[in-house]
Amino acid sequence: MTTDPSPDAEADAGSGDTDAKEPTLTVDELATRAGVTVRTVRFYGTRGLLPPPVIGPRRVGHYGREHLARLALIEELQHQGMTLAAIERYLQQLPADLSARDLAIHRAVVASWAPDVVERVTREELGRRAGRALSDDDLERLAAMDVVRRDGDGYRVDLGLLRLGVQLLDVPLSQEAILASRKVLIEHSRAAAHELSQLFRGEVAQRDAQDVKSLSAHMEPIVVQSLLTAFQRSLKEELRGWTADVGAGS
């Protein structure tokens, strides 16, 4: 296990990645947020799937966003049907210093391989899947984002969007802004998908059907990773310029 960082390290962390500024979680809080049991968290830790917590006062372990992101990635790999041994090999191939954002990108790429999964669940099960209790207002917001839909005495939930939707519940943006953002993302992603498919269609026009299927299977995760990386960098540049303008204005 790791120990509390030194004052110098804390100062460095405060001036660097925003992940380091996130409040820490106890193992119980981490398990609740991730929608797993404490026993599962500890088991993953003993297998090396999760980095050790930071040990604070009274020898209490504290976890952060990276642990949440790793648990989400593990869950996604399990949904793909990977065994625990295969997941261990997958995580061992990743750089040890990946941030929560980087891990989220890996999860998004993995999730893109899976078919759309919609399940009917009870409200209690929905809360368990979300990793937190959901109020009536939360459910209304998730319904507006097309994440859940009332179905009799239960709910139909898009499992691929549930974790993202739950995270958006805590974002200090109005419902109108979130829905407008969703519209922008859908419209531009569809346009990019169409243009890329037309480009690749020209490359494979003279090949037989088996070659086309093989190329498609290989290209999909590569294209998704490329789009996510390009978007992440573009958004970072936009936000950097925005914060610079705000700083100059003040």
Side-chain angles (χ1 to χ4, degrees), residues 24-40:
T24 55
L25 304 169
T26 65
V27 66
D28 297 275
E29 293 168 335
L30 175 69
T32 299
R33 290 276 297 273
V36 300
T37 65
V38 170
R39 182 178 180 181
T40 296

Side-chain angles (χ1 to χ4, degrees), residues 76-161:
E76 196 63 57
L77 293 170
Q78 288 177 327
H79 286 166
Q80 294 295 321
M82 292 181 65
T83 64
L84 185 60
I87 292 175
E88 288 179 355
R89 290 193 297 270
Y90 181 93
L91 294 179
Q92 287 171 359
Q93 294 174 1
L94 300 180
D97 58 348
L98 283 183
S99 68
R101 284 193 304 270
D102 296 327
L103 289 165
I105 288 177
H106 276 276
R107 179 179 178 271
V109 173
V110 172
S112 71
W113 304 339
D116 296 337
V117 178
V118 177
E119 288 187 10
R120 188 182 185 282
V121 298
T122 63
R123 180 162 181 168
E124 181 181 358
E125 174 65 11
L126 180 58
R128 192 188 70 78
R129 296 288 186 96
R132 58 186 277 183
L134 297 172
S135 66
D136 291 341
D137 183 61
D138 291 336
L139 291 173
E140 288 183 8
R141 297 187 69 188
L142 290 173
M145 289 184 275
D146 286 337
V147 176
V148 302
R149 177 164 53 87
R150 191 65 184 261
D151 184 12
D153 59 350
Y155 295 86
R156 296 189 69 80
V157 54
D158 186 329
L159 297 179
L161 293 177

Side-chain angles (χ1 to χ4, degrees), residues 150-218:
R150 191 65 184 261
D151 184 12
D153 59 350
Y155 295 86
R156 296 189 69 80
V157 54
D158 186 329
L159 297 179
L161 293 177
L162 179 59
R163 190 175 295 275
L164 174 60
V166 171
Q167 290 174 341
L168 285 174
L169 294 177
D170 298 324
V171 175
L173 288 175
S174 66
Q175 185 71 18
E176 292 75 15
I178 292 176
L179 294 179
S181 300
R182 178 177 180 272
K183 181 179 179 181
V184 170
L185 288 172
I186 290 176
E187 289 180 351
H188 286 277
S189 62
R190 284 177 177 169
H194 177 72
E195 292 186 24
L196 287 170
S197 66
Q198 294 300 312
L199 175 64
F200 296 140
R201 190 183 300 247
E203 290 292 315
V204 302
Q206 304 303 319
R207 305 189 186 189
D208 60 40
Q210 189 59 39
D211 287 341
V212 173
K213 290 181 180 180
S214 177
L215 179 62
S216 175
H218 284 84

Side-chain angles (χ1 to χ4, degrees), residues 34-56:
V36 300
T37 65
V38 170
R39 182 178 180 181
T40 296
V41 173
R42 298 194 188 283
F43 174 70
Y44 288 159
T46 61
R47 296 294 293 260
L49 300 180
L50 289 177
V54 173
I55 302 302

